[in-house]
Amino acid sequence: MRKGALKVIMTIRTPKPKKVNRAGLTISDYKGSPSTLCSGCGHDAISSQITKAFYEMGVKPHQVAKMSGIGCSSKTPAYFLGSSHGFNGVHGRMPSLATGALLGNRDLICIGLSGDGDTASIGLGQFCHLLRRNIPMIYVIENNGVYGLTKGQFSATADIGSKQKSGVINDLPPIDCCTLAIEMGCSYVARSFAGDPKQLVALLQGALSHSGTAMLDVISPCVTFNNQESSTKSYKWAKEHEELLHQIDFVPYFEPIETVEYAEGVMREVEMHDGSHIRLRKLNQDYDPMNKNSALSMLRETRDSGEFLTGLIYVNPVAKNFLDLLDLSETPLAVLAQEKVRPGPEVLEEAMRELM
Amino acid sequence: MRKGALKVIMTIRTPKPKKVNRAGLTISDYKGSPSTLCSGCGHDAISSQITKAFYEMGVKPHQVAKMSGIGCSSKTPAYFLGSSHGFNGVHGRMPSLATGALLGNRDLICIGLSGDGDTASIGLGQFCHLLRRNIPMIYVIENNGVYGLTKGQFSATADIGSKQKSGVINDLPPIDCCTLAIEMGCSYVARSFAGDPKQLVALLQGALSHSGTAMLDVISPCVTFNNQESSTKSYKWAKEHEELLHQIDFVPYFEPIETVEYAEGVMREVEMHDGSHIRLRKLNQDYDPMNKNSALSMLRETRDSGEFLTGLIYVNPVAKNFLDLLDLSETPLAVLAQEKVRPGPEVLEEAMRELM
Amino acid sequence: MSIQSRPQEDLQQNRAEGEIVNDFSIQVATVNGSGSQSSNNILMRAIFQMGVPISGKNLFPSNIAGLPTWFTIRASKDGYAGRKKEIDALIAMNPQTAREDVETLQESRVVIYDEKLNLSQIRDDLIYYPVPFSDLAGQIIKDVRLRRLIANIIYVGSAAELFGIEMAEVESVIAKWFKTKQKAIDLNIQAAHLGAQYVRENHTKSDCFRIERMEKTQGKIIIDGNSACALGSVFAGATVLTWYPITPSSSVAETMADYMGRYRMDPETGKATFAIVQAEDELAAIGMAIGAGWAGARSMTTTSGPGISLMSEFVGLAYFTEIPVVIFDIQRVGPSTGLPTRTSQGDVAALFYLSHGDTKHVVLFPASMKECFDLSIQAFDLSERLQQPVFVASDLDLGMNTWMSDPFDYPERPLDRGKVLTAEDLERLGGFARYKDVDGDAIPYRTLPGTDHPAAGYFTRGSGHNEEARYSERPEDYLTLMDRLAKKYETAKKFVPEPIVQFSNGAEVGIITYGTTDAAMEECQEQLRQEQGVDINYLRIRALPFTHHLHEFVSRCQRVYVVEQNRDGQMGDLIRLEVGNEEGKIRKVLHYSGLPIDARSITDQVMEYEKGSAQGNHDDSHT
Amino acid sequence: MSIQSRPQEDLQQNRAEGEIVNDFSIQVATVNGSGSQSSNNILMRAIFQMGVPISGKNLFPSNIAGLPTWFTIRASKDGYAGRKKEIDALIAMNPQTAREDVETLQESRVVIYDEKLNLSQIRDDLIYYPVPFSDLAGQIIKDVRLRRLIANIIYVGSAAELFGIEMAEVESVIAKWFKTKQKAIDLNIQAAHLGAQYVRENHTKSDCFRIERMEKTQGKIIIDGNSACALGSVFAGATVLTWYPITPSSSVAETMADYMGRYRMDPETGKATFAIVQAEDELAAIGMAIGAGWAGARSMTTTSGPGISLMSEFVGLAYFTEIPVVIFDIQRVGPSTGLPTRTSQGDVAALFYLSHGDTKHVVLFPASMKECFDLSIQAFDLSERLQQPVFVASDLDLGMNTWMSDPFDYPERPLDRGKVLTAEDLERLGGFARYKDVDGDAIPYRTLPGTDHPAAGYFTRGSGHNEEARYSERPEDYLTLMDRLAKKYETAKKFVPEPIVQFSNGAEVGIITYGTTDAAMEECQEQLRQEQGVDINYLRIRALPFTHHLHEFVSRCQRVYVVEQNRDGQMGDLIRLEVGNEEGKIRKVLHYSGLPIDARSITDQVMEYEKGSAQGNHDDSHT
Ligand SMILES: Cc1ncc(C[n+]2csc(CCOP(=O)(O)OP(=O)(O)O)c2C)c(N)n1
Ligand SMILES: Cc1ncc(C[n+]2csc(CCOP(=O)(O)OP(=O)(O)O)c2C)c(N)n1
Ligand code: SF4
Ligand code: SF4
Ligand SMILES: [Mg+2]
Ligand SMILES: [Mg+2]
């Protein structure tokens, strides 16, 4: 039923599948090299949705910078947008690389791919500080609750009480990246599931329209090390427990918004930075993702009740991002001409005089 | 008036000033070398209260391990409990050193001193992971909103919009260490003020009676770099805006609990791990520090309303600490005899047979 | 891809009357995650049980499933355990690489392959044995996934039949391998027989390779270096292990966790006499280990290159504050992430100089399974004796590949906990100065936190301090401290394991190695003697700092070749600093492709030099 | 405490007919946070304005207020800027240290002190000038806190009177110093006069030290090395600075922020042509800088020892992925936290070998204010030309002390942005291979993210890659990559600044230094010539890698002394590796107390060696 309902909506949303998008490119222009991940890995599903979202938004691949840390998840930037620049850095430190890249070139459309270990274990500090700065980028956590690439050790989002193949049991509470992100000032916080392509695409498109950090905590099952039914990061559990906060329609700025009639409180519309609209259609209750406090309470309640809540949990479309705050020149710093960056001889003389 | 009221209470609490405490030691046995901090520095006030609390609780100095990172705050362990072991490590990484020390010797009574830069900037990751593990120790943040030792740069708890002597302005939101601590699973979360010695002593004694991580976020003005009235970390501002959540009496396990009559809902009593009691006396409203959600809401509300809330914000006296979870031998690992740690020849033979 | 360019060895040469017995290599080319690991092990162990020395090297990709993997079993009557450059028998199971794998073989080598791949057209100078593995598998099992697994054990049977590996041994190994899983045992034995039978009925042996029972493996064990280090640590009485997962070091910690759980629970209390903590990263891992070492525990951490870099600051703290901690570096190919599943000895300089300022560290270099065990134990003694970090530098080849070894000997010496003062000592002495050189060996005394004496406490700090451990910026205090630390490094020379030295009369050439490189040396010496008539003196370094033996060795040789597995000849440089390099006497023989070094490469490079013609990649910019 | 043990210099010796003119040192002993910094500067600048070359060294504790601090002004007619070991005139304002300060003076030196301290009983071989500073201060100001400040300026007046520093200059400096604050100006001038007057009326000069007007400072500037590096970076067109505060490097970033704000706002748009970000720690600081360098910005970070250790992993990434970034290391005394407010050259080995695996880095060593400016600029050109990290190794003495210098010259060469391909280039070439050595210099071409061409994109990774930047574990790809990186290091030799070399006829002795150590060399050479009749050849290293000049220099000397400020002789070792060390020709002269090196210590150690009697602390374990 849900899926059914979703389909209807999607037809409203999805620009009729064309051969080429606004950038005059085909979907295959957004593909990358073949994946070397395990077949069935959630990460590959996410790569496909990223490919789709960027294609549908008509993003120009050369403007994109794909950043990542280390892990199976962090390998994925090689598997989409093959003609874009990509940077697979060191473990847990992608946030600083991405921050630097955007300082150097503010025009880049930056997407960071990370894992739960890369972000919540070794990378927790940099992750938090990135969010505080509201760096304008999409930050996707491909959350499977384990270290995939090193063969199944627990990450900081592993379920408490969960068991490794080796028999070791995890007795530490998992970090909730969404709550943490909101507390740290993140201005676009969403949770989704690799097995829910439609929602994921919509959330990615919303993220592309956002002017600050858009953090997507995406449950992405590791079929090799953490897909047993008991795991809250398994396909089965996620499918069975997924609770949609709302149904999401995304209307890109370049599409006409047909005004559809809705009963009172059935739909909320969030206008994004670039003029796109995110439409949230009520499911159980009317939910306001612009209210930080209710977002936090909602997260706490569902966590306590063991629900797996997905959707756009919090958004502040007008928050100033870090580059705005730095008041940087419109021209990317990387390409400023010598005249702009090397003051003239008279300036040096002035400086010298002051020191005499 | 408040202070007056407090005094009364204190007389109930404070064991009549004796020459020596239960350990047969005088207060001067709990002092350290003379401070080299600026006169008037909040950190020195905190050192005095630590001295007092440990003296009054009759803690044996040789059982204490004082840990710290780097900063003016991190120098303070040299200024109290001079006969205890102390470890002034590297910047931002005290949590791991303290964790290791307690793994090595579970009998140590561990107190960590840190600064807001040491904890919330460079140390944020380790801080969060320490809290997740509920390491049995007292963790004091001497929070002045600046890097004192490096002469006044902003830390991650600096007020948004605050100005450095150099004129640089901070436009990032401060991290709220109490909220963060609760989210990370800390089991004793308090906020206090270097200028409120009585409350601080009570909170420290409560912390000494706690079996998990006790995190005290103590506003500790930097008189040299961040004491201007506008700063929420200044003496003046803190004095004027301090809102006591409740008045705290601490009754150590070794003192008789005189039952005092109270009107309904006027007092809450928290029994601590070691049998001590923390008595919280209602001020404005009755507050339950055992309820995580109300603690988080309370923190959010007061933060939004710009109040400076102090007191015991959250406590879970029964949470299992990390050493319990590891099921460690009662004898500290550091002093286990060779027979305990080197298996016999027959064991090696068995291992060898399996490999043939 | 293929893992090597086509090497040049003429088979006729080493063929004794037409047959090559117990001296060849079998390589299984497959994909990882396909479950071939167990069948490869079964094949290897069956040969082992026939008394023939073996070694197994697994060349795997840095991902989890679906990429090419090569497992090479070397049977060597002489017990050579180093990598053999040339593959004698290929079992081609991986369509992705089959062609290239076949192309890189030398003539008249053997190819056993899945019929469907039909490789026989590629070259006509090889001996082919096609087998319809999946069809055969289909005969005994329907489930498609299982069929893949079964195909693996079928090639074991085929190979056994071809090379004369007794089926009885194969069966007993299978039984051991699957322990109590009777169904699995039966199924696998059935499959093995099927593979053997097919070969018997459809092929006639036309190659020259044979396994023949001999007596060289009785009482030997098969193990990998990481397990040996883990066992060593268990018997060293290590009590705290804090680590962060990284290939190829993870299995040290994981194996140790198993052993600890079995051997180190206190029988009386049933409680753990150890703590193992997976930290959030390497900074935390080393921080915890140092904290534990400070508290008096025997603490350790395990990592590889990137982790070593992250530990730099903390290691400097431990050096400067004199805290014992043992750090295992299972080296992989760097710099940066490099090749996480390939081997190297590239961290020598990093380890020796680790951290800013004037630092020099103690590093141990195990070269065998026995040494992984023994030096792990010694590392803890050294670290507590010297009160400083001690590194154990292993590598992926040593750590993750399977080696044959004599069983380990139970340690004779009791634990050396170093200079620790108890409350009684303090009572007697009336106090102590933490950083005072009382005994003239530059090693001070320490007390452990929790020691019940008013004079026990002292303050540890990474900033300047005097002998009483008080804060000091005085130039004279700093000089005293730094000079003592330098002197302590001299003292270390008395405690570290001496090099293994071997002189042959009249030999002019000296060769120096360390760690796994040694595995190729016995064979290399044989090649130099047989093919070139060159006898050599040999020294194997087992530790930094160097001992006087190095000076003596060099002075007794005309030319010294330092053979190691990194680009810059890092140990060679340290040796030149130690003993000088008069007229380019110290030369570098380097191997850094990520594959374990092989005897042939060493022999060839040494002879190149000797013929006064050192050129090319491995030329040495310093000479 | 006192900052030095009592040195041995006989005053008579260098006294020209009873008077010592423009060649002595004045040390003000006070406590930090007492506001004496400005008065010390005023005193120093007054001498400067009299045409007498000066240098100022501030020896301060690692805390914020209340601990002993010594500011030493050296007036040197010969323009010697290195530290002078012996103090000629002490201004004793700090009760905590007064006694020891006085005790360590040499005979017939001067002591100006606060009467209350009455120091005159301590020794009778000194010349004392007591002054009641606080009482005098009380005469002109009531506020107790201000009185302390005023007392400081009073001693300036007293010293001026005693040593013949013209009051007019003192006044003009005060006016300059307090800029528009007229009240402060008047008050300070009044106080200075009061101090002078008191001395005039109560003391008769009985010492031999005098300042006399000369013509050696016209057109000179006074600056510290950190400001010079900051200015250099501003004119280098640096666009991204990401940093984390740490003494003694912080003022590079902070001064740069000032200059950027003034000189680098785009006049047209009013927007910033730069970004300065205070990161959360050094891992983030270097990560951001590398990210920015990857994006094509001229990026930099500033730090000191502990930060260098924390940057290890990331620097290895930049080396291996070939990303430009400039790293300023303002060295302090390590290992660990060490002495944060003392100077050393202890990070040479750490910088050269930084990170695990086979890495070698480019390091520049400025030795003067001009070079801080020039080499900062060159560092960015080098880094983008070579596509790798470049370190600028300064130190606390150079960076935070005040030096006299000629004004800086405007850079002649335009920015060298290195091999960057534009969309047009790509169109023409039809593509590119990121890691291919097209030009034979081992430097590949890169494109910047955002380049509008379908062939522009490539994937950067710290793991193994081939020439097309694709993931590869192939041994041959790894060898190609590592050999090219080694070759690129050879190419770097063509671009790095050459050493400064100076031969004197027939000199047998060669001395090699780098960085601040050079400041003591002119004086040292004079001492060797005058006192020992020894002429020397001199080479000052300005960069790693070494160039051929080093080999030539060493071969032309009989004995070479490498003088540096660390314990292990780190540069000495690198030199030995480069040129060998035939019969111990390369000797180490070391200084590592945390105080700036002084000519006397070098001269003495060199002569010790020359007399064949090198012993003691500074003995060299390698010879
Ligand atoms: C500094 C460093 N430490 C450790 C490693 C080893 N390592 C590689 S990936 C990884 C964890 C990956 O887990 P996660 O981020 O959750 O990604 P996943 O594989 O689960 O997608 C680790 C520990 C490394 N590459 N670098
Ligand atoms: C790795 C490292 N980076 C930087 C520094 C320099 N440093 C010393 S203290 C400090 C910040 C201290 O601030 P905080 O923790 O708030 O302590 P406070 O001085 O304010 O009490 C810094 C950046 C250092 N010692 N080590
Ligand atoms: S191991 Fe897990 S995370 Fe990694 S590729 Fe396989 S399924 Fe995906
Ligand atoms: S600088 Fe600030 S924090 Fe440091 S000692 Fe002074 S007042 Fe305290
Ligand atoms: Mg994961
Ligand atoms: Mg602070």
Side-chain angles (χ1 to χ4, degrees), chain A residues 115-117 142 144-148:
Chain A
D116 42 306
E142 300 188 334
N144 55 18
V146 288
Y147 291 175

Side-chain angles (χ1 to χ4, degrees), chain D residues 278-506:
Chain D
Q278 182 189 311
E280 61 270 28
D281 68 7
E282 290 85 351
L283 283 87
I286 184 67
M288 291 177 188
I290 291 170
W294 175 77
R298 290 211 135 180
S299 68
M300 64 185 278
T301 185
T302 60
T303 189
S304 189
I308 292 297
S309 287
L310 287 173
M311 295 180 182
S312 299
E313 187 196 18
F314 253 132
V315 167
L317 174 74
Y319 170 84
F320 194 65
T321 55
E322 300 176 72
I323 294 173
V325 60
V326 175
I327 302 162
F328 288 83
D329 176 15
I330 315 303
Q331 297 167 93
R332 65 190 211 184
V333 171
S336 197
T337 302
L339 306 177
T341 60
R342 296 290 186 268
T343 193
S344 93
Q345 299 179 307
D347 294 346
V348 175
L351 295 177
F352 179 69
Y353 291 110
L354 200 65
S355 208
H356 60 282
D358 288 299
T359 55
K360 286 182 182 181
H361 301 293
V362 174
V363 188
L364 306 186
F365 300 95
S368 65
M369 296 302 104
K370 261 178 111 65
E371 277 190 344
C372 284
F373 182 78
D374 296 338
L375 296 194
S376 293
I377 295 172
Q378 196 173 354
F380 287 92
D381 288 348
L382 273 170
S383 176
E384 291 195 318
R385 167 57 47 187
L386 297 168
Q387 295 178 28
Q388 69 187 70
V390 169
F391 292 94
V392 178
S394 173
D395 63 30
L396 183 141
D397 182 26
L398 201 64
M400 291 186 74
N401 284 327
T402 33
W403 304 74
M404 195 178 82
S405 167
D406 289 325
F408 305 152
D409 304 322
Y410 193 76
E412 297 139 7
R413 288 196 277 105
L415 310 182
D416 176 359
R417 306 299 310 263
K419 299 183 182 180
V420 177
L421 296 175
T422 63
E424 299 63 43
D425 298 329
L426 291 166
E427 199 51 38
R428 202 180 65 254
L429 301 164
F432 86 117
R434 170 66 180 103
Y435 294 115
K436 196 165 172 30
D437 179 5
V438 179
D439 305 327
D441 58 4
I443 304 171
Y445 286 82
R446 61 176 184 145
T447 57
L448 304 186
T451 304
D452 189 356
H453 191 285
Y458 68 91
F459 201 82
T460 305
R461 42 165 70 82
S463 46
H465 43 269
N466 61 17
E467 293 181 331
E468 288 71 38
R470 298 228 157 63
Y471 183 79
S472 169
E473 292 175 355
R474 283 175 174 267
E476 49 278 27
D477 288 333
Y478 188 73
L479 286 170
T480 308
L481 172 55
M482 290 306 283
D483 290 338
R484 184 174 54 76
L485 290 175
K487 184 177 173 193
K488 189 165 79 168
Y489 200 68
E490 291 303 306
T491 299
K493 297 178 178 177
K494 300 199 197 71
F495 291 95
V496 297
E498 298 179 349
I500 305 299
V501 189
Q502 174 200 106
F503 288 103
S504 357
N505 302 357

Side-chain angles (χ1 to χ4, degrees), chain A residues 13 188 190 202-210 246-253 257 267-281 289-290 311-312 314-315 317:
Chain A
R13 180 170 64 61
Y188 183 106
L203 288 169
L204 283 164
Q205 293 179 317
L208 274 168
S209 314
H210 184 59
H246 34 228
Q247 285 170 351
I248 306 182
D249 307 356
F250 179 81
V251 186
Y253 62 90
I257 314 179
M267 194 189 75
R268 287 182 174 275
E269 188 147 310
V270 182
E271 169 148 19
M272 300 303 291
H273 174 75
D274 68 353
S276 300
H277 288 68
I278 298 180
R279 287 180 175 171
L280 306 170
R281 308 238 257 126
M290 319 258 279
L312 180 57
Y314 174 71
V315 62

Side-chain angles (χ1 to χ4, degrees), chain A residues 29-282:
Chain A
D29 295 319
Y30 291 78
K31 300 224 159 92
S33 1
S35 170
T36 61
L37 304 182
C38 304
S39 52
C41 176
H43 302 349
D44 282 335
I46 297 172
S47 297
S48 318
Q49 303 327 315
I50 293 173
T51 306
K52 189 152 186 278
F54 278 63
Y55 166 73
E56 290 182 352
M57 289 293 285
V59 174
K60 299 213 177 69
H62 78 271
Q63 293 182 312
V64 177
K66 306 171 294 179
M67 317 296 287
S68 67
I70 300 285
C72 295
S73 35
S74 295
K75 288 181 172 196
T76 60
Y79 311 143
F80 58 83
L81 286 150
S83 66
S84 300
H85 273 76
F87 196 159
N88 179 190
V90 293
H91 191 33
R93 321 295 177 190
M94 176 264 278
S96 58
L97 284 174
T99 302
L102 285 161
L103 291 172
N105 185 339
R106 62 176 308 163
D107 291 349
L108 294 175
I109 295 163
C110 185
I111 179 168
L113 279 293
S114 182
D116 42 306
D118 197 59
T119 290
S121 298
I122 189 172
L124 190 56
Q126 289 209 350
F127 176 60
C128 291
H129 288 288
L130 173 101
L131 298 173
R132 279 186 76 224
R133 297 192 179 100
N134 197 27
I135 299 295
M137 71 180 287
I138 303 174
Y139 190 111
V140 179
I141 304 173
E142 300 188 334
N143 191 345
N144 55 18
V146 288
Y147 291 175
L149 191 53
T150 48
K151 297 182 176 286
Q153 301 88 355
F154 298 120
S155 77
T157 68
D159 299 330
I160 189 160
S162 60
K163 200 179 196 151
Q164 257 173 48
K165 288 193 171 177
S166 66
V168 184
I169 289 184
N170 173 44
D171 33 39
L172 298 182
I175 290 177
D176 178 340
C177 297
C178 290
T179 304
L180 183 60
I182 295 174
E183 286 295 349
M184 287 295 149
C186 183
S187 52
Y188 183 106
V189 178
R191 175 170 283 139
S192 190
F193 171 40
D196 187 347
K198 299 208 170 66
Q199 184 197 51
L200 185 49
V201 170
L203 288 169
L204 283 164
Q205 293 179 317
L208 274 168
S209 314
H210 184 59
S211 70
T213 308
M215 195 287 294
L216 281 71
D217 178 16
V218 186
I219 301 310
S220 177
C222 170
V223 296
T224 307
F225 297 110
N226 195 27
N227 198 29
Q228 61 284 7
E229 296 188 12
S230 61
S231 164
T232 62
K233 309 293 191 300
S234 67
Y235 279 113
K236 191 156 190 308
W237 194 96
K239 277 208 187 63
E240 286 170 359
H241 296 72
E242 180 171 16
E243 274 298 333
L244 293 185
L245 193 48
H246 34 228
Q247 285 170 351
I248 306 182
D249 307 356
F250 179 81
V251 186
Y253 62 90
F254 50 83
E255 298 267 328
I257 314 179
E258 331 99 25
T259 42
V260 208
E261 288 312 318
Y262 290 102
E264 192 42 56
V266 171
M267 194 189 75
R268 287 182 174 275
E269 188 147 310
V270 182
E271 169 148 19
M272 300 303 291
H273 174 75
D274 68 353
S276 300
H277 288 68
I278 298 180
R279 287 180 175 171
L280 306 170
R281 308 238 257 126
K282 168 174 175 173

